[in-house]
Amino acid sequence: MCFCITVYAEPQKDINLAGDNIIILTDDSFKPAPRELGISEHNTTSEIQNRHFGNAFETTLNPVNTEDLSANAIDHADDVVPIDSDDLWQRIKNGYAMPDYISPLTKKHEQWYSSRPDYVKRMVERSQRYLFHIVEEVEKRGMPTEIALLPMIESAYNPKAYSTSKASGIWQFIPSTGKFFGLKQNWWVDNRRNITFATEAALNYLQKLYDMFGAWDLALAAYNAGEGTISRAIERNKKQGLPTDYASLKLPDETKNYVPKLQAVKNIMTHPSQYGLNIQTIANTPYFAKVSAPAQIDARLAAKLAEISDDEFVALNPSYNRPLLTQGEKDEKHELLLPILSAQTFRTNLANHDKPLVSWKTYIAKRGERLEKIANLFGISVSKLRNVNNLPSQSKIKNTSTLLVPNDKQPEFSVNDQSVLLEMASGQISPHQESNNINIGNIDPTPVDDINLIQDNKNTISHRVKKGEGITSIARRYGVSVNKIKRENSLKNNRLKLGQVLIIPKVEVNTSEKPNKSRDKNQSPKKVYFVKRGDTLNEIAEKFNVTVADIKRWNKKTASHIRPGNKIIIKKSSGQQD
């Protein structure tokens, strides 16, 4: 799954539980797969009410033949929750239990959301994958169902949302809080992005805060600012003889806005027409089921066995950092989330699969070992080796490290095939981290390229046209002319179709030009790079194996604040490689 390459929509910003900006790094234009669960307009309400789902739904829907399937494919049922309505929104409304918070700040946030219908639409579309599960978990604990709306203000229900304080996932856990609540963060996984684990941790945390403060608005404020901040604010008011309710406390601006923002979302989801919005109905049925996975399996193969798209697989399993799915401990089984109707498909295909499950292995790289040597040894490009292992721009291994490299077993696809999705996790590890030397608490989902870059060879790259793109913007993005793209693809006009694959000629430096003797003999050859949406200086520096300081020195006018379309000059020393 292209986990380290991410399509950018215009970056979205909002406030999360840590009180800082969140940045939605992934393209959210794709929609969840439609669910055909046999519920038609002819089903009566009583028939739907008689259905029992929950974590047991997978085994109820698709009983497993233990004679045909291995023990790894058998899942165990948990508690079962009865369905009371075929409309999940109505179920949420029925469970409201928090007092309404009426404030000018609530009005302010109502206006913000209602003036951004596309943002709300994308947020709701994303939420339908996860909302049923969260509502069930909230109801099991007897908590107000408003809490199921909380990820809307935390992350816009994007599991790859990442904040400036390193908070991650739909519940926006910072590394330390995630660890405290048992969310594993290592080289292989970051369970702050795991939908079920992070939901359990978030509800545990919220329950603890409610027990501590005795009111949901104070619990929410503590979720945003920390229990210490709220406790100190209460103590200050007590000493001054002032009320200690949420509205009376002196709190950071982000925390003052937190409960009003949730109230605004609640109001909009309850009465969307009053705000000029049309909120799509979400079926009151599970979207995903849990399936047991082998201790190790390639991400791409898992999606293929489930017969779902890479995007869909990533959306349900965003916690993995590598193209090899494993928890990091030897022979430890783990669970994947798959769309309901894909669960049994995965089990059946896995049971019948007679080819290798893994095309990767670990390699202990010694200090001083050159990346080029390692890449050549295992038949992988240096850039892909860096991407898979989130290595910084360096030519040598600084400290003995464990690297992920291709093995000699290829299960139905080549590791070097760009369509294998340049390697897992859009929750990549930040550039300064590497393998065994990384600080595993700081996982940084900063993309390094674009998922639309689906092929890479010596002279061309391929680009799949996505919504809103035109030939002019694509040409500008890759620094080529429109006519070159038209000639390369035998296009008669400028019209493009959604999903069309274009062959883009690479921009190459003219190395045949004779050197000008009047130039400074120390001057380096130049390349021109056009900034793409979502690029950062650090990523561009990594891409060309230079430093950020170099880029700033070469581009004094533009490097301080780059924007899409900016032209960046990259100078290269004679011995430098891409």
Side-chain angles (χ1 to χ4, degrees):
M1 291 60 291
C2 184
F3 301 79
C4 54
I5 296 184
T6 307
V7 180
Y8 277 80
E10 196 68 46
Q12 312 259 3
K13 293 189 178 180
D14 213 339
I15 299 297
N16 75 347
L17 68 87
D20 56 1
N21 283 339
I22 61 171
I23 305 168
I24 307 248
L25 294 169
T26 57
D27 175 32
D28 44 31
S29 59
F30 68 86
K31 299 179 181 179
R35 290 177 284 173
E36 298 174 2
L37 298 176
I39 300 176
S40 71
E41 60 184 4
H42 303 295
N43 291 123
T44 64
T45 302
S46 61
E47 286 173 327
I48 296 172
Q49 287 176 341
N50 287 334
R51 301 181 182 196
H52 287 70
F53 301 109
N55 291 338
F57 184 83
E58 180 190 354
T59 44
T60 303
L61 180 67
N62 297 309
V64 180
N65 185 336
T66 56
E67 295 179 358
D68 297 333
L69 299 178
S70 67
N72 284 349
I74 302 173
D75 300 312
H76 302 285
D78 292 322
D79 295 336
V80 175
V81 176
I83 299 299
D84 296 323
S85 168
D86 58 354
D87 180 4
L88 187 57
W89 290 119
Q90 187 57 52
R91 183 177 175 185
I92 292 172
K93 294 171 192 176
N94 292 344
Y96 286 163
M98 291 184 188
D100 285 339
Y101 189 84
I102 301 172
S103 161
L105 290 176
T106 301
K107 293 292 183 184
K108 167 190 162 186
H109 294 298
E110 288 173 347
Q111 292 169 1
W112 192 93
Y113 284 106
S114 61
S115 66
R116 293 165 173 80
D118 289 341
Y119 178 91
V120 173
K121 182 173 181 287
R122 290 193 301 269
M123 179 172 67
V124 173
E125 285 175 350
R126 282 193 299 264
S127 75
Q128 68 173 300
R129 287 189 177 93
Y130 321 119
L131 199 54
F132 177 88
H133 171 77
I134 293 174
V135 170
E136 282 209 326
E137 295 304 308
V138 165
E139 287 183 345
K140 286 178 185 177
R141 297 165 180 255
M143 301 169 82
T145 50
E146 287 97 329
I147 289 174
L149 305 177
L150 198 59
M152 291 186 172
I153 69 172
E154 284 292 341
S155 62
Y157 258 111
N158 191 318
K160 297 174 189 172
Y162 187 77
S163 83
T164 51
S165 68
K166 298 185 175 12
S168 187
I170 63 173
W171 293 99
Q172 287 291 280
F173 276 99
I174 60 174
S176 57
T177 308
K179 287 179 182 178
F180 183 84
F181 284 95
L183 297 177
K184 181 187 294 184
Q185 299 158 58
N186 62 28
W187 198 62
W188 298 99
V189 295
D190 183 351
N191 282 339
R192 295 178 298 157
R193 298 192 304 267
N194 183 293
I195 302 305
T196 56
F197 293 167
T199 296
E200 181 180 9
L203 298 186
N204 286 342
Y205 189 21
L206 285 163
Q207 188 66 60
K208 171 191 171 185
L209 295 171
Y210 177 74
D211 294 341
M212 182 182 297
F213 295 106
W216 280 112
D217 51 4
L218 292 175
L220 291 170
Y223 188 80
N224 176 259
E227 54 261 50
T229 299
I230 304 307
S231 295
R232 287 189 293 271
I234 290 173
E235 285 304 312
R236 280 196 302 268
N237 276 26
K238 282 182 178 179
K239 289 179 181 178
Q240 298 173 31
L242 299 174
T244 58
D245 59 293
Y246 172 80
S248 301
L249 297 179
K250 186 177 180 180
L251 299 169
D253 286 343
E254 295 85 2
T255 311
K256 273 188 172 294
N257 280 271
Y258 197 70
V259 172
K261 187 180 288 189
L262 180 61
Q263 182 67 50
V265 168
K266 173 183 174 180
N267 293 345
I268 287 172
M269 297 303 159
T270 305
H271 304 291
S273 61
Q274 293 182 12
Y275 301 90
L277 297 173
N278 182 22
I279 303 299
Q280 69 183 72
T281 300
I282 298 180
N284 191 16
T285 53
Y287 185 88
F288 60 75
K290 295 178 183 178
V291 296
S292 293
Q296 295 184 341
I297 185 172
D298 280 3
R300 184 112 197 280
L301 178 60
K304 187 171 183 178
L305 293 177
E307 298 180 10
I308 60 176
S309 71
D310 297 330
D311 283 341
E312 184 72 4
F313 185 87
V314 176
L316 290 174
N317 301 277
S319 60
Y320 293 97
N321 294 328
R322 308 291 160 194
L324 174 60
L325 306 184
T326 180
Q327 290 292 308
E329 282 89 21
K330 188 177 181 181
D331 299 328
E332 181 185 4
K333 299 175 185 176
H334 55 111
E335 290 181 322
L336 300 177
L337 302 184
L338 297 173
I340 284 290
L341 297 183
S342 302
Q344 186 60 36
T345 301
F346 175 84
R347 289 167 161 174
T348 301
N349 288 340
L350 178 62
N352 295 327
H353 187 75
D354 58 358
K355 297 181 179 179
L357 298 178
V358 174
S359 60
W360 301 92
K361 64 182 179 181
T362 55
Y363 171 77
I364 306 300
K366 301 178 182 64
R367 180 180 179 181
E369 197 167 1
R370 298 190 64 84
L371 290 181
E372 290 82 358
K373 174 188 172 184
I374 299 171
N376 291 336
L377 183 63
F378 295 102
I380 186 174
S381 71
V382 173
S383 62
K384 291 189 178 97
L385 183 66
R386 282 198 181 107
N387 285 339
V388 173
N389 295 283
N390 301 103
L391 295 172
S393 295
Q394 60 186 38
S395 58
K396 296 181 179 180
I397 298 296
K398 292 182 179 179
N399 297 296
T400 300
S401 304
T402 301
L403 302 183
L404 200 61
V405 296
N407 64 20
D408 56 356
K409 299 176 182 178
Q410 304 299 326
E412 301 185 19
F413 55 85
S414 169
V415 173
N416 286 319
D417 179 3
Q418 188 81 357
S419 65
V420 176
L421 307 164
L422 269 183
E423 326 344 339
M424 193 80 177
S426 233
Q428 296 133 344
I429 298 171
S430 54
H432 64 277
Q433 299 164 335
E434 56 175 299
S435 296
N436 284 348
N437 303 313
I438 63 174
N439 175 357
I440 61 176
N442 296 318
I443 304 264
D444 179 354
T446 306
V448 296
D449 212 331
D450 191 319
I451 197 172
N452 279 348
L453 190 62
I454 59 174
Q455 182 180 337
D456 191 357
N457 59 43
K458 287 186 177 180
N459 301 310
T460 64
I461 53 181
S462 296
H463 176 93
R464 190 181 301 278
V465 178
K466 65 188 182 78
K467 187 176 180 180
E469 286 188 322
I471 193 168
T472 303
S473 63
I474 294 172
R476 187 183 305 117
R477 171 185 189 145
Y478 292 103
V480 299
S481 69
V482 170
N483 287 336
K484 276 190 176 182
I485 294 178
K486 290 170 68 174
R487 282 198 303 272
E488 191 74 29
N489 295 274
S490 301
L491 299 178
K492 295 180 179 179
N493 53 50
N494 291 353
R495 290 195 296 270
L496 300 177
K497 295 180 181 180
L498 185 66
Q500 180 178 354
V501 176
L502 297 176
I503 304 301
I504 310 293
K506 285 185 177 178
V507 177
E508 295 186 357
V509 178
N510 184 2
T511 56
S512 63
E513 181 183 351
K514 293 182 179 180
N516 189 334
K517 293 181 180 179
S518 64
R519 293 177 185 168
D520 184 343
K521 56 184 172 183
N522 292 324
Q523 186 174 354
S524 302
K526 295 180 180 178
K527 275 191 176 183
V528 175
Y529 177 78
F530 288 88
V531 177
K532 298 193 286 290
R533 187 176 294 170
D535 272 344
T536 67
L537 284 179
N538 193 60
E539 292 160 9
I540 297 172
E542 282 192 70
K543 187 180 185 73
F544 293 99
N545 198 14
V546 297
T547 67
V548 171
D550 286 337
I551 294 179
K552 288 183 176 180
R553 189 174 72 253
W554 299 329
N555 301 271
K556 292 181 180 179
K557 291 184 179 180
T558 57
S560 59
H561 186 66
I562 59 171
R563 295 182 178 180
N566 282 164
K567 184 168 68 173
I568 298 292
I569 301 299
I570 305 292
K571 297 182 181 181
K572 298 174 66 179
S573 63
S574 58
Q576 194 175 31
Q577 298 181 10
D578 286 337

